[in-house]
Structure formats: structure tokens, C-alpha cells
Amino acid sequence: MNSLNSRRQRHAVKTPSIFRLTLTAFLFTNAVLAIGQNRLSSPWKELVPRSVQLQILQAEDKRQWDETLSKLLSDPNASVRARVALAAGRIGSDQAVTPLSSLLKDDKEEGVRAMAAFAIGEIEAASGALPLIEASRNRKETPEVRRRAIEGIGKIAAALPREQEARARELGAIVLENLRVEGERSAPDSETILLGLTAALRSRPPNAGPVIADFLHHADSRVRADAANVLARLRLKDANKDLALLLTSDLDPIVRANAARVLGATEEKSASATLLDRALNDSDSRVRVSSIRALATVKDPNAAEPLLQRAVTLLDEQRKQQKAGTKNPPVQNELLELATTLGRLLPLQAEQNQIVYAFFLNLGELVQPFAPEIETAYVRVLPETYLSKYGSEVAARQPQPLHWRSAVSIAQALREVATLPNTVPNHNELKAKAGLLLRDLLDNSSGKLTVMKNLHPEYAIPEILRALAAFKPNDLGDLALKYLSHEDVVVRSTAADLIGDLPPSDANTRSLITALAQTKSDALNDAALSILDSLGKQKTSAANEGIKSALQSADPLIRQRAVALLKTNGVGDFAASIGTVKTSNTKVDYLRALSRSDRSVRAIVTTSKGSFTIELLPSEAPLTVDNFIRLAQRGYFRGITIHRVVPNFVIQDGDPRGDGNGGPGYQIRCEINQLPYERASVGMALSGKDTGGSQWFVTHSRQPHLDGGYTIFGRVMSGMDVVDNIVRGDVIQSITIREK
């Protein structure tokens, strides 16, 4: 995963330096900090009174923008104006755009104007584009305000609906022009360039490659890395020759890693030898991993043999480490990346190669529960051999008991069989066998494969259903309807998704409406949201009436989804039904959260790989920090498996289910701030705005595309070597909070 944007799986998905610390920090901590290389135009001697802080925090938590809050934008205290501007952005009400625009244009304080620009961008309303454009082009304006205006333009462009594509292109061109002008200055400002690059990534302007490529030669390694990141994500090949040189010569490993990503994303075959050299020999694992991934898309078959030799060597090293009981440094993450790439590069039906067979067999035995990367690569290269593990000769024995994670991995591998080309010998037989094995897993009472009853077999069902759907069985609709009434909320959510992909029918509509009514007692809203989406695809008056019933839900996210679907279906505008958020927080909770703003608050995270310490940032995200502390103090995280590790991106934890779908049974509001996602940043994982709960992540490296989209509430201050060594399946043993 290179993003944190899956609707159900809360991915997501960067320690800020002093010049990027935000205005919010000194609003609550009495500090006068520098923003970029510029200080505020005048000392901020006045603080936000505690009573006003409380009022603002309550409004943010309820997502309530009203006249009382709007009037505070005219408060004589500049700190209050800036803090309310941030609140306006977090609340996201279009009604705040006009007063924020006035603030951006006329306020005397640079910090207030900059926060107004940031807030307008967070609201993402089309009406906010014009004041941001004017600010970005105002050469009398300060760099901090202009860069925040450029950032906001990118956010608005990305949020515009498809029918406003022409306007989005116009905004993207304005972002690109600002970047070009900044790059041509005799003393270009790194901070403006960084925010401009992220804005370009969001707005995706046409012909952006040459402008962005110029920044690959910038003196600031962060700029070079971010420029490469944009080129990779937009798949622009304008600078591939330069990137091939950077891959071997740049001193910053993130620049080298991102250069490899671009060469892979653009399938630059001429760089295959360079990528292979870095995959085998670079001193930094992040560069090796990015190069290995790139080779999978470049698809040079000559890279397979040396990568296989490297994999066999690492496998032997991993086995020795496990035998000796050593914890560091693990090579499992790199091995899984190698397995994935080998699954793309090795020739199909390579049964004659005993080294290949032994590698997949031994690696599969070493990593328990089964890893999807290994199982999927195995079946891609040796489909017949893989399926023979569960063939007829097994039938005489007892069914093979599986951990649910192993069952998920097998289901993902069997799904690959559905896409086997017709040139594969016996491909029809292989597909039939894979389908039968999936039904064995789904039945879980007879057959060759069963999921252990005491280890949540229901957690495997969603992936099994999705794998079966890939084979397009005739009874898929019946299966989906059957599991639409399952007791597990994620199973029901998956079933609803499958129904939504089927041709609309009155029977499906009735079943979905019935299932929606039964979601009222769910702790998680996954099933309700999926059912609403599937009802939206039915395009009938009965389905729309079913959607209207969700307008009465106590969950604001469900109400929002219903309003959006009804508007899309042309039924009408029911935005008034969204209302405010009913929060469980009380005045005592708000005051407790605010009281930490002048304290040192740390979380010592002890894992099966060692410990690392997080400096929590209550001045930036008071309610998010308070939620994390409360969960930690009640032992919520104890024993939870780290379910997601993406090298050179994030580790993610906090899901009691362990499948990426779980949470505490409630959602917390986002507290977006201006902190950048640098290496060691701690953020809240989301499946959409205001969907956080208990899942959180730590970034391995700078991730600018997450800026302004996911709440940063901490940074790892010590122990990043432990974070780097964590693999999927490691366990959080405890989280201890220390407050001073």
C-alpha cells in the first residue's frame, strides 16, 4: 500500500523540523516559533484564553460552524483569529469560506493570513479557489502565506467533481506556474517548493514533468526527494536519465529510493541494470526495497536469476537468525519484496527449476502464518505445484487446520488462478480445483482446508468471498445474499459490496434494505456504508427510499453517505439532515485534553522487537492525543498484532481484529494540522474523513502526499531503529504513558 485510503482498511499511509512547526503550537504553548525562515510580523503576546480554547474545541468535535465561532475571526487577539481559522478548516463548512477569505486578504498578521489560506484549502470548496489564487500571485505577500495558498489550490483542484475537470486543470496550471516562478528565482524558497510539489501531485496538471524535473537538481535533498515522489506518483518519465544517475550517486537514501520508484512506475527498461545493482548492493534497505519493486514493473527477465540468488541467501540468513533467536536486523521484509517481484519475473510453470520450488517451499514454512506475498508469488510461478499441496492425495488425511491469516493468504493466491492465461496447460482444471478449495475454506466444516474455530474463522471470509467472485460463479448472488446476514460486520460489508457489483434487481434491493435496518446495533459502520453504496447502484425509487432511512442514523458518517448518494441519484439535496456530530466527550474531557498543551507527554511502546518512544503532540491534536492516552491506559493496545508493514512507508497498529478493519467501536474527529509527514511521524489511520479510532501508523520516510489529510499527533523521538526492524506479525506488548 502506498496510500492510506482504503474505505475499510484504515491504512494510511512523516519529526518535523523547526521551520515547519505550525502556528497551532504556539497558540497553546506560549512559544514564538519561526515558520520557514520568517518570524511572525509582530510578537504574539496574547494567548488564547482557556474559555475560548474550550469553545473552539467543542465546536470542532461537533463539526459545528456557527455565527458565534465566525465572530471570533474578528477578535482583537490574533491568536484567537488564527485558532478559529484552523477550526474552520477542520469543521469544513462552506459557510466559512467568505470570512476566511476576508481574513486572508486583510488581516495584518502573517500567521493569521497563512492559517486562513490553510483552512480554505482544507474546506476544499470551489468558492475558495479565487482568494487563494489572488494570494498566491500577490508578490507583496509573504512566502509563508503564498505557499499556504498554493497548497490550498492543490487541495481544491483534487476535490473538484469530474464535471468540473476543466476548472481543475486551470487550478493545476496555476500551481505549476507558481512552481516555475519559484524555481527561477535567484534564491528559491525550499518550503514553497515543497508545498508546491505536493499541490502539483494533488492537482495533476498537464505537462508538469519538465517543471517538476528541474527540482531534481535542487540543493535541498528534501526537494529532490519530493520531486521524484511526484514524478513517481504521476508516472512522468521526463527525467528518467537524471533519475538513473541519482539512483547511484545521490547521498540521500530517500532520493535514491524515490528515483528507483520513478524508474519502476514508468517502466524504464533501460534502467534495469542500474536497478538490479541497487537492489543487490545499496547500503540502505529502503533503496534496495524500492529497486526490487521497480524491477517487478520493468519486467526484465534477466533480473530474475540474480534476485533469486539474493533471495536464497537472505532466506538462509533468516533461518539462521530464527534458529539463534536473534531479533535484529530482520530480513523478512526484504524477502517478502523479493518474493513478490520473483512472482512477476520468473517464467510461468517453472517446475523444472528445483531452486525456485525449494525457495517458495522453504520461505513458506519459515513465515507463519502464511504471508500473501509468498503464496501469491508461488502460485503465479508454479500454479500446478502450488495447487497440488491441497490436491486429491490430501483428501484421505484430516483437513488441514489453518490460522485465519493463512486462509486469507491462500485465498489471495487462489484468486490469481482465475487470471491464468489459456496458454497454461490444464488451466481449466486448475481453475476448477482453485474454486473447490475456496469453497472448502468458505464451508469450514468439511474438505481439505479448515480455519481453526478458536481463531476467528470469520475474519477469513471476506477475502474468500472476493476470491470466489473472481471466478464469476453462477451462484455468486446467492452466496452474497447468504452472507449479507452474517453476524460479523465486515463479512456483511463484503457481501453488500458483491451485491452492488451484480446487475440491479428488486430482490437485491429488498435484501439490502432489510440488511440496512439490521445495522443499527453495529459497533462498526462498515456494513451500513457498503449497503448504502450498493443501494445507490440499484437506481430505483425503492432503493432511494431505503437510502433515505439512513438520514435518521445516529452515525454522522452514515448520514453523510446517504446525503451524497441521494444527491448523486438526483433525488434532492438533504444536506440539512447531516447536522452536527453527537460526541461522547464532556467538558471534563475537553479540559483534560487542553491541559496537556504545556506538558511533556510521551508514550513508551514496547514491542516484540524492542521499545521506541513517541513524543505526543497535544498542542497540535489535543483530542487525538487524549483518545490515544485513554486507550493505552486501559491496556487496549496490549497484545495487538502489528498488521501492516510497508517498507519505506509505514508500520501500522491498533486493530484488535488484526485484519485492518477493526477499531474501538467509535470514531474520532480528524485534527488536521500543518505538520509535515517526515520520517518518524505518528499519524491516525483513516478510511475517510473523521473515521479514526484506534489505528495509528509511523512513517519510515517522508510522505508529503499525507500532509493535510491525516492527523499527526506524535513523532518517534527515540527507537526508530526498532520501528525499522518491525515486521508484520510483531506484537505490541504494552504502551506506557509518561506525563510531566
Side-chain angles (χ1 to χ4, degrees):
M1 151 203 87
N2 287 331
S3 67
L4 304 170
N5 61 0
S6 169
R7 183 174 58 76
R8 284 198 302 272
Q9 295 210 359
R10 293 160 173 82
H11 288 180
V13 70
K14 300 166 181 183
T15 313
S17 52
I18 190 67
F19 48 79
R20 296 289 300 277
L21 287 175
T22 69
L23 180 60
T24 318
F26 57 75
L27 295 177
F28 293 140
T29 61
N30 308 355
V32 181
L33 299 176
I35 300 179
Q37 300 301 317
N38 305 308
R39 291 190 174 272
L40 296 172
S41 55
S42 61
W44 290 62
K45 297 180 179 179
E46 297 176 283
L47 304 174
V48 181
R50 183 54 57 91
S51 60
V52 178
Q53 292 183 37
L54 177 62
Q55 179 184 353
I56 294 171
L57 199 60
Q58 287 176 315
E60 284 181 346
D61 198 25
K62 295 178 180 179
R63 290 298 179 263
Q64 181 175 344
W65 179 259
D66 54 24
E67 187 64 26
T68 302
L69 213 57
S70 183
K71 287 181 179 179
L72 288 175
L73 289 175
S74 303
D75 194 278
N77 183 341
S79 298
V80 170
R81 298 197 301 276
R83 181 63 185 88
V84 176
L86 176 61
R90 289 175 171 177
I91 293 169
S93 171
D94 290 7
Q95 297 175 355
V97 172
T98 298
L100 284 172
S101 300
S102 298
L103 211 63
L104 171 61
K105 182 179 179 180
D106 300 326
D107 201 279
K108 295 180 180 180
E109 292 290 349
E110 175 198 40
V112 177
R113 298 195 304 276
M115 189 62 81
F118 179 78
I120 293 171
E122 280 298 303
I123 294 172
E124 297 180 343
S127 60
L130 185 58
L132 292 178
I133 293 170
E134 292 174 351
S136 73
R137 290 173 169 170
N138 183 358
R139 296 304 152 187
K140 295 181 180 180
E141 187 53 274
T142 65
E144 174 63 12
V145 176
R146 286 193 294 108
R147 71 173 69 111
R148 290 300 176 186
I150 296 168
E151 176 188 38
I153 294 169
K155 291 178 181 178
I156 292 173
L160 288 175
R162 185 171 299 178
E163 56 267 24
Q164 297 185 41
E165 185 177 347
R167 179 56 170 165
R169 286 198 299 269
E170 291 175 4
L171 297 181
I174 291 169
V175 169
L176 203 61
E177 179 60 25
N178 275 285
L179 265 177
R180 183 184 292 110
V181 169
E182 191 62 41
E184 292 173 351
R185 291 178 56 201
S186 58
D189 180 72
S190 291
E191 299 307 306
T192 300
I193 295 170
L194 289 170
L195 289 179
L197 286 169
T198 303
L201 173 59
R202 289 178 169 132
S203 59
R204 308 176 72 88
N207 306 314
V211 175
I212 295 169
D214 282 345
F215 294 109
L216 293 173
H217 308 288
H218 197 277
D220 189 335
S221 63
R222 297 172 310 147
V223 171
R224 299 197 302 275
D226 279 18
N229 176 61
V230 176
L231 292 169
R233 291 184 176 276
L234 298 184
R235 299 186 178 185
L236 302 175
K237 55 175 64 180
D238 300 74
N240 280 5
K241 289 184 179 179
D242 290 341
L243 289 160
L245 292 174
L246 288 176
L247 177 57
T248 59
S249 62
D250 202 287
L251 297 179
D252 190 309
I254 303 305
V255 176
R256 300 200 303 275
N258 285 355
R261 289 176 51 219
V262 183
L263 297 171
T266 57
E267 301 180 18
E268 183 59 62
K269 296 187 183 300
S270 66
S272 178
T274 305
L275 287 166
L276 180 60
D277 175 71
R278 292 300 85 200
L280 300 177
N281 301 313
D282 201 279
S283 60
D284 194 288
S285 64
R286 294 168 292 187
V287 183
R288 295 196 302 272
V289 162
S290 293
S291 299
I292 292 167
R293 291 175 184 158
L295 286 167
T297 55
V298 170
K299 298 177 182 176
D300 180 0
N302 295 322
E305 187 62 29
L307 288 178
L308 179 60
Q309 293 176 5
R310 168 71 172 168
V312 170
T313 300
L314 287 181
L315 177 59
D316 185 56
E317 182 181 334
Q318 176 84 343
R319 296 169 80 174
K320 289 178 180 177
Q321 286 184 8
Q322 287 198 4
K323 187 175 181 180
T326 57
K327 293 182 178 180
N328 297 311
V331 297
Q332 181 174 314
N333 289 331
E334 196 167 334
L335 266 171
L336 295 179
E337 297 291 342
L338 282 164
T340 298
T341 295
L342 288 170
R344 298 291 186 185
L345 297 183
L346 287 169
L348 188 65
Q349 297 286 57
E351 282 90 343
Q352 71 277 11
N353 192 329
Q354 289 301 311
I355 296 177
V356 174
Y357 170 73
F359 168 70
F360 283 121
L361 185 66
N362 293 331
L363 182 57
E365 292 175 350
L366 195 65
V367 180
Q368 296 292 331
F370 300 165
E373 297 91 340
I374 301 169
E375 302 297 303
T376 300
Y378 191 165
V379 80
R380 280 176 179 159
V381 179
L382 305 169
E384 194 165 352
T385 304
Y386 181 84
L387 290 171
S388 69
K389 293 198 303 179
Y390 312 112
S392 58
E393 67 276 10
V394 182
R397 301 201 300 265
Q398 292 294 321
Q400 180 178 345
L402 298 166
H403 190 285
W404 70 263
R405 289 191 179 90
S406 294
V408 165
S409 298
I410 292 172
Q412 291 181 5
L414 294 175
R415 184 177 184 174
E416 290 292 316
V417 179
T419 62
L420 285 177
N422 293 341
T423 54
V424 175
N426 306 317
H427 72 278
N428 285 332
E429 293 179 19
L430 295 176
K431 291 179 181 179
K433 182 182 289 187
L436 289 174
L437 289 170
L438 286 167
R439 290 181 185 273
D440 276 351
L441 281 171
L442 196 59
D443 180 71
N444 206 44
S445 61
S446 62
K448 304 174 182 66
L449 302 170
T450 60
V451 186
M452 289 180 280
K453 297 287 188 182
N454 60 333
L455 285 178
H456 295 287
E458 69 275 12
Y459 291 178
I461 293 176
E463 197 60 49
I464 300 169
L465 285 173
R466 284 190 284 267
L468 264 173
F471 290 88
K472 300 179 180 178
N474 293 330
D475 64 340
L476 180 60
D478 294 336
L479 276 173
L481 289 173
K482 172 185 175 182
Y483 285 96
L484 190 60
S485 59
H486 197 277
E487 61 184 10
D488 184 78
V489 62
V490 180
V491 173
R492 282 184 276 125
S493 175
T494 304
D497 289 339
L498 295 178
I499 292 172
D501 292 334
L502 296 172
S505 72
D506 292 340
N508 286 348
T509 297
R510 289 193 298 270
S511 297
L512 288 166
I513 291 173
T514 300
L516 181 62
Q518 295 170 348
T519 63
K520 294 180 180 179
S521 60
D522 287 348
L524 300 174
N525 60 16
D526 299 66
L529 294 174
S530 290
I531 292 168
L532 284 172
D533 287 342
S534 293
L535 280 171
K537 295 177 181 179
Q538 304 302 305
K539 305 294 184 182
T540 64
S541 57
N544 289 331
E545 287 302 314
I547 295 171
K548 284 182 182 179
S549 69
L551 296 174
Q552 308 303 318
S553 172
D555 187 329
L557 298 176
I558 293 175
R559 299 197 301 272
Q560 289 173 11
R561 183 67 58 86
V563 167
L565 289 168
L566 291 169
K567 185 176 182 180
T568 299
N569 285 353
V571 180
D573 188 351
F574 293 85
S577 299
I578 295 177
T580 59
V581 176
K582 184 178 180 180
T583 175
S584 62
N585 286 318
T586 66
K587 182 177 180 180
V588 172
D589 298 320
Y590 296 129
L591 290 173
R592 180 182 61 249
L594 290 171
S595 70
R596 294 192 179 97
S597 60
D598 56 353
R599 299 184 199 167
S600 169
V601 189
R602 296 177 179 178
I604 296 89
V605 183
T606 303
T607 76
S608 50
K609 280 285 170 56
S611 298
F612 59 92
T613 300
I614 299 172
E615 178 188 5
L616 298 173
L617 303 172
S619 62
E620 298 288 348
L623 293 180
T624 306
V625 168
D626 187 65
N627 175 69
F628 183 83
I629 288 174
R630 285 199 275 180
L631 290 172
Q633 288 178 335
R634 79 179 203 219
Y636 178 91
F637 299 108
R638 190 177 300 121
I640 287 182
T641 298
I642 297 171
H643 67 277
R644 191 162 185 260
V645 176
V646 184
N648 200 26
F649 184 40
V650 299
I651 68 165
Q652 189 166 319
D653 181 56
D655 175 16
R657 290 173 62 104
D659 64 353
N661 295 307
Y666 59 82
Q667 290 89 35
I668 63 172
R669 309 311 135 228
C670 293
E671 292 181 293
I672 303 301
N673 49 57
Q674 293 175 319
L675 294 179
Y677 272 95
E678 303 286 356
R679 171 171 163 80
S681 296
V682 181
M684 284 301 298
L686 306 172
S687 56
K689 187 176 181 181
D690 297 333
T691 59
S694 60
Q695 291 195 44
W696 53 280
F697 59 90
V698 182
T699 52
H700 287 136
S701 60
R702 178 172 166 76
Q703 305 294 334
H705 65 288
L706 303 181
D707 293 353
Y710 296 80
T711 302
I712 293 181
F713 68 98
R715 55 194 169 203
V716 176
M717 57 181 299
S718 64
M720 271 304 291
D721 57 328
V722 174
V723 174
D724 290 337
N725 288 333
I726 283 173
V727 300
R728 187 175 60 234
D730 284 336
V731 175
I732 298 290
Q733 296 173 341
S734 66
I735 297 182
T736 304
I737 304 298
R738 296 281 185 264
E739 297 192 52
K740 293 184 180 180

